[in-house]
Amino acid sequence: INNWSLTFTLAPTATTTVVASSANPSVFGQPVTFTATVTPNSGTGVPTGNVQFFDGATPIGGPVALNGAGQAQITTSTLTGGSHTITAQYAGASGGCTGSFNASSGSLPGGQQVSFPPTFTKAFGAASIPVNGTTSLTFTLSNPNTSGGFTGVGFTDTLVSGLVVATPNNLSTTCSGTATAVAGSSSISLSGGTLAAGASCTLTVNVTGTTAGTKPNTATLATTEIGANSASTGTVNLVVAAPPNVSKFFVNSAQGNSNNTSLNGTARLSIAITNPPANPISLSGLAITDTFPAGIEVDASPSPTNTCGGTFAPVAGATS
């Protein structure tokens, strides 16, 4: 990253120096404070009047009055990357002058470094799992900058209720620093990592769903250089599904709803399958086998009906 500042002598009355004075490094899309200093080319005294900042031909805020040292500051969050030409135009009692610099490819004047925040993505190994089922959770950390590394890289991911680190946790990582994921706990963390320019790493651990429902998972990556930044927040959902509820009852044509029938008599068996209300998704691939105890078989005329989809074809005389 080029670190530099420029001083302009563009009019016989004064020079204008523009520098960026925000925390170093700053992040594209984050506010950057610019300071313009107007200095006479000749004579004594401090210039008075206003300074107007421009991004190209676009004004950044309104005119700002010079202070007692001939300086004016303005803060902008309009710089989102790419190339910018920032201009400070001074209009004083004795005339005007203009100074500018290019804020391109990750550098601002005065040694100001501008970095894209690290990217932080997460992915579960499956979109959904059954209650007490297990899947993987993978964190991917990347430095998108072509120069300049990050230190103190880390995050803490607190799992929501109904989601815990699996036993065994099968923790693995290519990231530097210390990775922690205690089996049975609700926390996964990384601390003290580093990310060189253009580098990436992954951390993978298994998790288990203990209750049904949608389990949102959110964590924010932080570094020493830029702290915790909203652009480095990863969010993903895992659905934990409870098994379907199954109930059965017999209907005897002579006795109505009853679990009794006479020897060699006929009764109608109904099996009801219900998706529990706690499940946020549909269930598919349903299958059921009901094996009868001795002395019961499918009637010679089964007369099957089915509202569950799939295939239902009971065979006369079969015992299931």
Side-chain angles (χ1 to χ4, degrees):
I1 292 178
N2 298 320
N3 298 324
W4 42 263
S5 62
L6 295 178
T7 300
F8 301 87
T9 306
L10 300 178
T13 56
T15 60
T16 303
T17 302
V18 185
V19 299
S21 56
S22 297
N24 196 353
S26 57
V27 181
F28 279 123
Q30 299 282 311
V32 176
T33 300
F34 298 96
T35 301
T37 302
V38 178
T39 306
N41 286 337
S42 60
T44 60
V46 177
T48 60
N50 298 324
V51 168
Q52 174 78 65
F53 290 85
F54 296 85
D55 182 356
T58 304
I60 303 176
V64 182
L66 296 175
N67 63 18
Q71 296 177 328
Q73 287 188 340
I74 191 169
T75 298
T76 176
S77 58
T78 60
L79 301 184
T80 56
S83 179
H84 295 261
T85 298
I86 304 299
T87 298
Q89 180 174 325
Y90 162 63
S94 58
C97 66
T98 299
S100 65
F101 67 86
N102 284 326
S104 61
S105 188
S107 60
L108 295 177
Q112 181 77 13
Q113 176 181 318
V114 181
S115 299
F116 289 105
T119 60
F120 185 46
T121 60
K122 301 190 295 181
F124 286 105
S128 62
I129 58 174
V131 171
N132 296 322
T134 296
T135 189
S136 61
L137 175 56
T138 299
F139 304 83
T140 302
L141 294 60
S142 300
N143 183 349
N145 298 290
T146 57
S147 61
F150 293 114
T151 61
V153 177
F155 66 89
T156 297
D157 187 349
T158 302
L159 304 177
V160 297
S161 176
L163 198 62
V164 298
V165 177
T167 304
N169 62 16
N170 287 340
L171 175 66
S172 65
T173 183
T174 62
C175 300
S176 61
T178 302
T180 304
V182 178
S185 73
S186 59
S187 180
I188 303 164
S189 64
L190 175 71
S191 62
T194 59
L195 276 175
S200 63
C201 68
T202 60
L203 185 154
T204 300
V205 63
N206 282 357
V207 295
T208 298
T210 59
T211 61
T214 300
K215 309 300 181 183
N217 183 262
T218 299
T220 300
L221 186 67
T223 69
T224 298
E225 289 74 17
I226 64 173
N229 186 274
S230 59
S232 303
T233 296
T235 300
V236 67
N237 291 332
L238 175 68
V239 173
V240 181
N245 297 321
V246 179
S247 61
K248 304 192 296 179
F249 61 90
F250 289 95
V251 177
N252 186 294
S253 57
Q255 301 179 23
N257 290 339
S258 172
N259 290 325
N260 300 316
T261 189
S262 60
L263 184 64
N264 295 320
T266 299
R268 192 156 183 82
L269 172 63
S270 291
I271 302 174
I273 306 172
T274 305
N275 189 355
N279 283 343
I281 59 172
S282 300
L283 301 179
S284 60
L286 296 175
I288 187 169
T289 298
D290 187 358
T291 302
F292 303 147
I296 298 179
E297 62 182 36
V298 177
D299 189 67
S301 299
S303 300
T305 61
N306 174 32
T307 64
C308 298
T311 301
F312 178 53
V315 178
T319 58
S320 65

